[in-house]
């Protein structure tokens, strides 16, 4: 126990003996417990006379918390109200209210209330501190962070409150004295620092409209939260000492951290602080933009404090998106095939593309299929995906033979596959969305695997949608057209075939059963050596639903493929990507 704590105990004990309202039955001063678990030091000071908070007749002090109190503040207020009962004084009760109500003379202020005393105390302590002080007739419990607020609440309850019996023989709850804890963690903005948020400029990567917009949005958030409007400029502007940097800017901190840290994955991003500069960045502008929201959620805490702050030694290297299932290819497999309906914006007013690009591209780059069949890819979707696909993935045919947008394109990994031939066949007989001629198609490619020269054909499709009998009749016609096309492909290339797609059909329905029986193909979801997750592949956008069976998205293979593994990805991030989950199969194909 340090000297300050011993002094506090001694002072508190003396004050209790000398107080004018000395108890008829003397109560021992509670023993001071250990310091908060995190490193730091504390200093306490007893009041000349304890403050009576309530007795059996009345609550003299009222607990006041912010109207929009975060959980830690609400918990602290509840624990304080419960203190008398927890300590055997059922008849002692403290009243409470939110800071929406008019101020009174005697209040216990918990958290960042709208009372001036709360702000004054917050401004008097560093970001890693907490304070419990008697000020202007009010008791103020203040901290900048949830962690310190929890510690302040615990310290108050264990050390600075006492239930005693007064000279009238009645029990009363009293506040004994103040305590200020000084943490050791250093933050960018501390009392000793001369720089403030208002000294900063937001600087974004030149020629990036995405990051310019993100920088302006961040400026507006900071202004609305802290009343400080920062200038915004691109990185061609003269360098300033204090900068909040957005993206892979031409500053030393970005070169040092982003280029080294983001080699692992396109989804890797960096948050760093060095030499009065704050960096939020990734190699991809889209990832940087996506993660600014994460930065704001983590560091902009208006419910806790008046100040934006960040640890002075911050260096965070994280993945913007990660998945729960292993990304490793199944043992013995030598290729991966994926199917993913990414939901066109044209027939769902909630399916706005902006904001869905990263959740859609994430499973593709994370699981890296060699062959990928996409469905519902509108012209706007192509524009959104083009900069994200980069050089790794190539679209086989963006338009159909009729010059229409191909809504069901086939993509391939250019690092593992070589495209030898390709084409698009338009499927007729689609009354649903009939005006979109490129919606119901067969996109196909003839490929050679770079590792061993194995050749195969991949076909991607999207059968008609609907639950009426007529819809199933149209799907059956489409199934027959597809079977006929496959026979043609076999006669030309005489090679293994894999097909992907949103078939809008499940096992047991006539079009599905016809397709399987006529082609002899196997459904990977039903025939894989290991099936990790076979679930319903459709759900309501933004509301995930994980149920067994009834998949309508499939990967089918001819007999030459050995199906070793099948999985449906359904991590939370994918609930907002589309109304379909992606499915994939790990296959083994031996060169014929």
């Amino acid at each position: 126990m340090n000297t300050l704590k011993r002094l506090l105990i001694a002072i508190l004990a003396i004050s209790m003996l000398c107080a004018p309202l000395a108890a008829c039955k003397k109560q021992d001063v509670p023993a001071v417990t250990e310091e908060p678990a995190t490193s730091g030091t504390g200093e306490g000071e007893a009041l000349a006379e304890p403050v009576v908070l309530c007795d059996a007749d009345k609550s003299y002090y009222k607990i006041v918390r912010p109207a929009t109190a975060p959980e830690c503040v609400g918990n602290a207020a509840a624990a304080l109200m419960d203190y008398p009962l927890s300590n055997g004084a059922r008849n002692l009760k403290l009243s409470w209210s939110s800071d929406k109500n008019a101020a009174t003379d005697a209040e216990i202020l918990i958290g960042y209330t709208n009372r001036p005393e709360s702000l004054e105390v917050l401004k008097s302590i560093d970001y890693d501190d907490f304070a419990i002080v008697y000020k202007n007739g009010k008791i103020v419990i203040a901290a900048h962070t949830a962690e310190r607020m929890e510690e302040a609440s615990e310290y108050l309850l264990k050390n600075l409150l006492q239930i005693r019996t007064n000279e009238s023989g009645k029990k009363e709850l009293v506040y004994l004295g103040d305590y200020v804890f000084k943490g050791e963690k250093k933050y960018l903005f501390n009392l000793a620092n001369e720089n403030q948020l208002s000294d900063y400029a937001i600087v974004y990567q030149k020629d990036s409209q995405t990051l310019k917009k993100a920088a302006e949005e961040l400026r507006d958030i900071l202004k609305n939260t802290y009343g400080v409007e920062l200038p915004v400029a691109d990185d061609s502007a003269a360098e300033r000492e204090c900068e909040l940097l957005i993206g892979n800017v031409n500053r030393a901190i970005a070169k040092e951290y982003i280029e080294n840290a983001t080699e692992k994955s396109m989804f890797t991003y960096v948050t760093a602080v060095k030499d009065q500069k704050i960096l939020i960045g990734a190699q991809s502008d889209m990832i940087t933009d996506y993660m600014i929201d994460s930065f704001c959620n983590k560091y902009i805490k208006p419910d806790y404090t008046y100040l934006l702050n960040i640890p002075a030694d911050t260096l965070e290297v994280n993945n913007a998106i990660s998945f729960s299932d292993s990304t490793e290819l199944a043992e013995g497999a030598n290729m991966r095939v994926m199917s993913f309906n990414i939901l066109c914006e044209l027939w769902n007013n909630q399916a706005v593309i902006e904001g869905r690009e990263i959740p859609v591209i994430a499973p593709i780059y994370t699981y890296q299929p060699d062959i990928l069949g996409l469905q519902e890819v509108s012209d706007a979707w192509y524009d959104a995906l083009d900069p994200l696909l980069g050089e790794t993935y190539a679209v086989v045919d963006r338009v159909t033979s009729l010059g229409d947008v191909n809504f069901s394109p086939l993509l391939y990994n250019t690092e593992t596959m070589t495209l030898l031939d390709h084409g698009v066949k338009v499927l007729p007989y689609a009354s649903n969305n009939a005006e979109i001629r490129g919606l119901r198609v067969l996109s196909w490619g003839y490929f050679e695997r770079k590792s061993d020269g194995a050749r195969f054909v991949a076909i991607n499709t999207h059968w008609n949608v609907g639950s009426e009998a007529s819809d199933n009749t149209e799907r059956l016609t489409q199934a027959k057209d597809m079977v006929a096309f496959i026979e043609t492909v076999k006669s030309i290339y005489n090679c293994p075939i894999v097909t992907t797609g949103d078939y809008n059909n499940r096992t047991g329905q006539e079009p599905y059963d016809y397709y399987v029986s006529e082609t002899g193909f196997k459904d990977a979801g039903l025939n894989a050596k290991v099936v990790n997750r076979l679930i319903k592949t459709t759900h309501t956008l933004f509301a995930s639903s994980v149920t067994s069976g009834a998949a309508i998205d499939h990967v089918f293979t001819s007999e030459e493929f050995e199906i070793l593994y099948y999985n449906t990805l359904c991590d939370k991030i994918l609930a907002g990507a589309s109304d379909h989950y992606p499915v994939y199969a790990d296959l083994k194909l031996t060169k014929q």
Side-chain angles (χ1 to χ4, degrees), residues 543-558:
S544 59
S545 174
V546 179
T547 55
S548 61
I552 63 172
D553 300 272
H554 306 284
V555 175
F556 293 105
T557 73
S558 59

Side-chain angles (χ1 to χ4, degrees), residues 28 46 54 70 99 185 200 257 358 378 454 472 497 509 531 561:
D28 291 331
C54 67
D99 60 1
K185 192 171 185 178
Y200 277 72
Y257 293 130
I358 298 303
S378 64
N472 227 24
I497 298 175
Q509 292 184 301
V531 176
F561 289 94

Side-chain angles (χ1 to χ4, degrees), residues 30-153:
V32 177
T33 60
E34 292 301 313
E35 292 278 12
T38 45
S39 58
T41 58
E43 182 174 351
E45 181 178 355
L47 298 180
E49 182 177 327
V51 175
V52 179
L53 305 180
C54 67
D55 58 27
D57 297 324
K58 185 177 180 181
S59 175
Y60 300 102
Y61 272 72
K62 178 180 290 185
I63 300 169
V64 176
R65 62 171 180 77
T68 56
E71 183 179 7
C72 65
V73 173
N75 290 341
L80 180 54
M81 289 182 64
D82 187 58
Y83 180 88
L85 181 61
S86 299
N87 287 272
R90 186 182 300 272
N91 60 339
L92 299 183
K93 293 182 180 180
L94 286 168
S95 60
W96 75 276
S97 73
S98 77
D99 60 1
K100 282 186 175 180
N101 295 317
T104 60
D105 292 335
E107 295 179 325
I108 304 172
L109 308 178
I110 299 182
Y112 185 24
T113 72
N114 61 10
R115 307 298 197 246
E117 292 82 4
S118 292
L119 182 57
E120 289 173 24
V121 174
L122 278 171
K123 286 185 173 180
S124 73
I125 59 175
D126 274 331
Y127 210 76
D128 197 35
D129 306 344
F130 71 74
I132 308 165
V133 296
Y134 186 69
K135 187 177 185 65
N136 299 337
K138 301 178 190 287
I139 298 167
V140 183
I141 300 98
H144 296 278
T145 67
E147 177 188 21
R148 290 305 188 210
M149 176 53 67
E150 290 168 357
E151 291 172 355
S153 172

Side-chain angles (χ1 to χ4, degrees), residues 18 25 90 126 137 161 193 217 263 299-300 341 363 489 498 501 508 532 536 588:
C18 300
K25 289 179 97 176
R90 186 182 300 272
D126 274 331
L161 299 179
N193 290 355
E217 289 175 350
E263 291 178 355
Y299 294 112
I300 296 179
N341 182 326
V489 168
V498 58
N532 182 52
K536 183 179 180 182
K588 180 180 180 181

Side-chain angles (χ1 to χ4, degrees), residues 501-506 509 535 537-538 550-554 580:
D502 173 3
Y503 292 81
N504 277 308
N505 228 229
R506 59 183 183 273
Q509 292 184 301
I535 63 172
T537 51
T538 54
I552 63 172
D553 300 272
H554 306 284
H580 286 244

